[in-house]
């Protein structure tokens, strides 16, 4: 069996998304740390793996992939019989999950990602958080979470009754936002709050967080 490799930084939300899928599947992999402060992600060697110079890059034998959500979907399909079933074999149920996979990428993440940048990454890099931007992003994210609250009255997870990629893809940004003032956006919506508590308590996710401390 080929060695699976993930190239990236353990604090990157995109990298965390891929690693979460691997741990849910119980797959062994090699983590290749990319020193982004030193510009290693712009090196010729890394650009051969991801021409956009962004983490992560992923290898499964001769197969080389980039874009975290494409990687998680490959993992879920290629290793469907391993670990957690992250996709639905039923085509109609999978279609519903696919809708919420798209919602995360195009409705939730644009606001959540920018909010995480303001509240977590800027302070970490010694930059100043923009209060006006935070207020605007919280309002926009709140509207998305109102839709989530309604959805989660109908099913335990976004994609249906079982944990899947639609839920997993939220975990990295959730991790940073729950440690910030934005936590109130999730806590104030009871169904969203219960969903967050459920998915962030998964053993596989604890392993992802542990990588940041090693």
């Amino acid at each position: 069996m080929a060695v699976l490799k993930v190239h990236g930084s353990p604090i990157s939300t995109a990298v965390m998304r891929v690693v979460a899928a691997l741990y849910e599947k119980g797959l062994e992999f090699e983590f290749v740390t990319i020193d982004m402060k030193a510009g290693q992600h712009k090196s010729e060697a890394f650009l051969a793996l991801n021409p956009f110079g962004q983490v992560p890059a992923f290898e499964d034998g001769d197969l080389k992939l980039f874009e975290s959500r494409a990687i998680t979907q490959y993992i879920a399909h290629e290793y469907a019989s391993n670990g957690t079933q992250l996709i639905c074999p039923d085509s109609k149920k999978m279609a519903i999950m696919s809708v919420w996979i798209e919602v995360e990428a195009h409705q939730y993440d644009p606001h959540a990602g920018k909010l995480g940048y303001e509240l977590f990454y800027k302070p970490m890099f010694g930059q100043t958080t923009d209060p006006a931007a935070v207020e605007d992003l919280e309002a926009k994210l709140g509207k998305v979470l109102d839709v989530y609250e309604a959805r989660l009255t109908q099913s335990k997870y976004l994609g249906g009754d079982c944990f899947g990629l639609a839920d997993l893809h939220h975990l990295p940004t959730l991790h940073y936002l729950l440690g910030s003032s934005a936590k109130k956006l999730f806590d104030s919506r009871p169904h969203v709050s219960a969903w967050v508590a459920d998915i962030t308590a998964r053993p596989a996710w604890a392993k992802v967080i542990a990588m940041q401390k090693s």
Side-chain angles (χ1 to χ4, degrees):
M1 185 176 178
V3 176
L4 304 178
K5 292 184 180 181
V6 179
H7 302 254
S9 165
I11 68 168
S12 159
T13 52
V15 172
M16 293 164 76
R17 193 173 289 121
V18 171
V19 173
L22 289 167
Y23 278 133
E24 285 287 351
K25 285 293 181 184
L27 298 170
E28 292 186 5
F29 63 95
E30 178 184 346
F31 190 85
V32 182
T33 301
I34 300 300
D35 187 345
M36 299 183 72
K37 285 185 178 180
Q40 196 176 354
H41 57 305
K42 302 298 183 182
S43 69
E44 187 175 341
F46 187 81
L47 289 172
L49 296 171
N50 185 340
F52 292 102
Q54 299 172 325
V55 293
F58 175 82
E59 296 181 84
D60 186 355
D62 294 336
L63 179 68
K64 296 176 174 59
L65 299 174
F66 54 92
E67 295 297 342
S68 64
R69 294 170 184 83
I71 297 169
T72 61
Q73 292 193 56
Y74 166 75
I75 292 167
H77 285 89
E78 180 67 13
Y79 299 97
S81 62
N82 294 70
T84 306
Q85 181 67 267
L86 296 172
I87 53 176
C88 301
D90 179 277
S91 60
K92 289 185 177 180
K93 289 181 179 179
M94 188 62 222
I96 293 171
M97 182 182 290
S98 295
V99 167
W100 291 96
I101 289 173
E102 292 295 312
V103 167
E104 183 276 332
H106 301 294
Q107 305 292 337
Y108 169 88
D109 193 64
H111 307 313
K114 290 175 184 176
L115 192 54
Y117 177 73
E118 287 289 342
L119 296 173
F120 178 79
Y121 289 105
K122 271 191 173 182
M124 185 175 70
F125 292 123
Q127 300 174 18
T128 304
T129 295
D130 181 348
V134 169
E135 184 178 359
D136 178 59
L137 289 165
E138 286 188 345
K140 290 175 177 176
L141 183 57
K143 290 180 180 179
V144 175
L145 292 178
D146 285 341
V147 175
Y148 279 36
E149 181 70 10
R151 167 62 180 165
L152 291 165
T153 62
Q154 301 168 6
S155 61
K156 184 176 181 180
Y157 298 99
L158 285 176
D161 294 327
C162 299
F163 176 82
L165 288 181
D167 310 289
L168 180 147
H169 286 177
H170 289 79
L171 284 166
T173 46
L174 276 175
H175 173 65
Y176 293 124
L177 294 179
L178 293 177
S180 75
S181 59
K183 185 175 185 289
K184 62 182 180 292
L185 298 174
F186 304 93
D187 291 347
S188 61
R189 295 166 172 84
H191 290 89
V192 169
S193 180
W195 167 72
V196 167
D198 183 305
I199 67 174
T200 56
R202 297 183 67 82
W205 184 241
K207 292 180 180 178
V208 178
I209 303 307
M211 286 180 64
Q212 298 183 349
K213 301 171 183 176
S214 60

